[in-house]
Amino acid sequence: MDTQFLVSLLLIVASFGLYIGIAVFNRARQTSEFFVAGRGVPAIYNGMAIGADWMSAASFIGLAGTVMVLGYDGLAYIMGWTGGYLLLTFLLAPQLRKYGRYTVPEFIGDRFQSKTALVIAAIATIIISFTYSIGQLAGSGVVIGRLFEVDAKVGVMIGVVIIAIYATFGGMKGITWTQVAQYIILILAYLIPVIFMSLQITNNPIPWLSYGNVVSELGELDRELGISEYFAPFESASKWQFIALMFSLMAGTAGLPHVIVRFYTVSTMKAARWSGAWALLFIGLLYLSAPAYAAFSRFILMKQVAGSPIDSLPGWTDKWVNTGLLTMADTSGDGILQWKEIAISNDIVVMATPEIADLGVFVIGLVAAGAMAAALSTAGGLLIAISSSFSHDIYYRIINPRATERKRMSVARWSILIATIVAGVVALNPPGVITQIVAWAFALASGTFFPALILGVWWKRANAPGVIAGMIVGLVVTLTYIFLAKYGGFTILGIIDTGAGIFGAISAILTNVIVSLSTKPPSQKLQDEVMDLRYPEQLTFKDGEVWKDDRVI
């Protein structure tokens, strides 16, 4: 065993032990603790948990690689994912927290007074969260596969076992505090390498200020090699795809059930807003670093690997070739590895860069532990969302309303276990790269929940037939476009599968509005409840007026 393997293994095993220990110590004993952590999480820690829940394997492992491969066009992921949090923090999170339910489907069912809407929303939650979790488990396979130098499929199954243990034990309470620890580990693991690379390449330890000069040099290298410039816009996709993808990610962020439920774990609307503010800060640390990471990684590859003799490549290349995620072949037969002869998966850029830049065994091991933290933290939140939708929204609210708390906890834990295993089986042969799979989940959320929640909170005339029709149409349109674009080559204005959410959202909003206006309006009591959501908790809306305590203001 080499030193690098032992250090990486030690850091990952230690982090696994920490996560499982936190989950067991904070084991949920009541349904309120299992689903919403007892609604007592301080805003700053909830912001960290949101950051970890949010910065999945797609962000940690795939984002910098996507930007490196796509250049300017990859920025749609950064702008879409970050911008979506502004929508969520200001337009939905405080209002949903004030309504005081456990899940997004429960809010939709009670807001529209419809069990049918509740069931459709629960099914949509399961579909979206399941799709998203496939990407996270595939990400854990990349990390573990590289560590043990085995096929990524073996890594996926190891990840399934770890997630199943701590998610099943802790519920939302355990996962919340686990995610706080995971955030600290993943952000240190992300920032330390990019700071060292910045110092190594530019003699400046502040990557956010130094990578602009590297991008300029990359442009010159691209011109010398006769390839598309790294920062040239719309080279790999049309401007319509850029806009559609950015919209899908923004709207999807504001509609993701596993993210929204994190705002239910705090005590007040004010705490929900502050949770969003802290989350933006914690998320921004990684997202502002991803373009620098991408630029430095591409620069090192172009300067130190491309142009080298094929028989004297760095030792790290053999280890990554064994994972099946890196291909280096001298197709020209000249004995020199050209840039065009390197095929590197988006999903290994962050993992491989510490080795590429020779940053030392500790940094390499830390990145491996951070990547696992990113994959596991989001997977835990997703599995809670799946479990809540089945055990609370479908089983308790529809099938067996008289179920005891012990029975509900049992159903919740078994549903997490089964969902983890099924998602792991699908992740053995994922249908796309991590960022692509995750983008599908966001497209589905933007086509189903975003219209339902925005109209449900801000349009009192929206009714049950409207939201039911809207969610069904949005889900069908989004799924159909994803399949047609990916497997049939069908596109509109060059918009591919990852931008499908824009069509789902538009069709869902139009359907919801048309059907709502064509059918009976909600009761006045229900419309007053919707108006009441828009005011801080010390204010209430009744009889067409805003009240504070017992007086009109």
Side-chain angles (χ1 to χ4, degrees), residues 414-431:
W414 274 107
S415 59
I416 281 182
L417 183 63
I418 294 169
T420 307
I421 294 171
V422 175
V425 171
V426 178
L428 293 175
N429 187 24

Side-chain angles (χ1 to χ4, degrees), residues 176-477:
T176 295
W177 295 108
T178 300
Q179 286 174 335
V180 171
Q182 287 167 334
Y183 175 78
I184 294 171
I185 291 171
L186 76 86
I187 200 63
L188 288 175
Y190 204 85
L191 293 182
I192 288 174
V194 78
I195 289 170
F196 272 110
M197 281 194 294
S198 178
L199 193 60
Q200 184 183 87
I201 295 171
T202 69
N203 293 319
N204 185 337
I206 307 176
W208 310 282
L209 300 179
S210 65
Y211 81 95
N213 294 330
V214 174
V215 170
S216 298
E217 290 190 51
L218 286 173
E220 295 176 9
L221 289 171
D222 290 342
R223 286 190 289 272
E224 289 175 11
L225 295 172
I227 60 179
S228 297
E229 289 192 33
Y230 175 67
F231 49 78
F234 314 127
E235 289 291 325
S236 58
S238 71
K239 66 175 64 177
W240 291 110
Q241 164 61 15
F242 188 93
I243 293 170
L245 174 60
M246 190 164 60
F247 173 86
S248 291
L249 298 178
M250 279 188 182
T253 298
L256 275 179
H258 82 284
V259 172
I260 292 173
V261 75
R262 287 241 50 94
F263 291 92
Y264 293 173
T265 62
V266 294
S267 57
T268 63
M269 288 179 73
K270 182 179 179 181
R273 289 192 179 94
W274 273 107
S275 294
W278 283 114
L280 277 170
L281 172 64
F282 296 136
I283 291 166
L285 289 175
L286 187 145
Y287 277 24
L288 290 173
S289 305
Y293 218 130
F296 293 146
S297 302
R298 185 181 175 100
F299 182 80
I300 292 172
L301 280 171
M302 295 185 82
K303 295 285 284 187
Q304 299 180 12
V305 178
S308 302
I310 194 72
D311 57 357
S312 60
L313 295 175
W316 63 266
T317 57
D318 289 338
K319 297 175 181 179
W320 277 106
V321 167
N322 291 339
T323 68
L325 299 172
L326 175 67
T327 304
M328 295 181 170
D330 182 21
T331 55
S332 62
D334 61 358
I336 303 297
L337 183 66
Q338 308 296 333
W339 175 252
K340 294 182 179 179
E341 295 172 335
I342 301 174
I344 184 167
S345 169
N346 300 17
D347 296 341
I348 71 167
V349 170
V350 168
M351 293 296 303
T353 296
E355 296 173 81
I356 296 170
D358 194 23
L359 296 180
V361 294
F362 179 79
V363 175
I364 294 169
L366 182 63
V367 170
M372 284 304 300
L376 296 177
S377 62
T378 302
L382 291 164
L383 291 168
I384 283 291
I386 293 172
S387 170
S388 299
S389 291
F390 179 77
S391 62
H392 182 72
D393 298 325
I394 296 177
Y395 177 75
Y396 176 63
R397 292 292 301 270
I398 303 297
I399 298 174
N400 187 9
R402 296 183 179 180
T404 63
E405 191 155 305
R406 183 176 179 180
K407 180 66 173 178
R408 292 166 62 192
M409 293 281 286
S410 175
V411 172
R413 288 197 163 104
W414 274 107
S415 59
I416 281 182
L417 183 63
I418 294 169
T420 307
I421 294 171
V422 175
V425 171
V426 178
L428 293 175
N429 187 24
V433 297
I434 295 172
T435 46
Q436 183 182 31
I437 296 171
V438 169
W440 295 341
F442 280 80
L444 291 168
S446 66
T448 52
F449 285 125
F450 178 71
L453 294 174
I454 284 291
L455 293 176
V457 169
W458 295 103
W459 189 41
K460 63 181 182 179
R461 182 63 176 77
N463 63 13
V467 77
I468 291 169
M471 285 193 294
I472 292 174
V473 169
L475 182 63
V476 170
V477 168

Side-chain angles (χ1 to χ4, degrees), residues 535 538-540 545-553:
Y535 297 95
Q538 67 269 25
L539 304 179
T540 57
E545 297 171 317
V546 180
W547 290 65
K548 182 175 183 180
D549 299 326
D550 296 322
R551 61 188 178 86
V552 178
I553 61 172

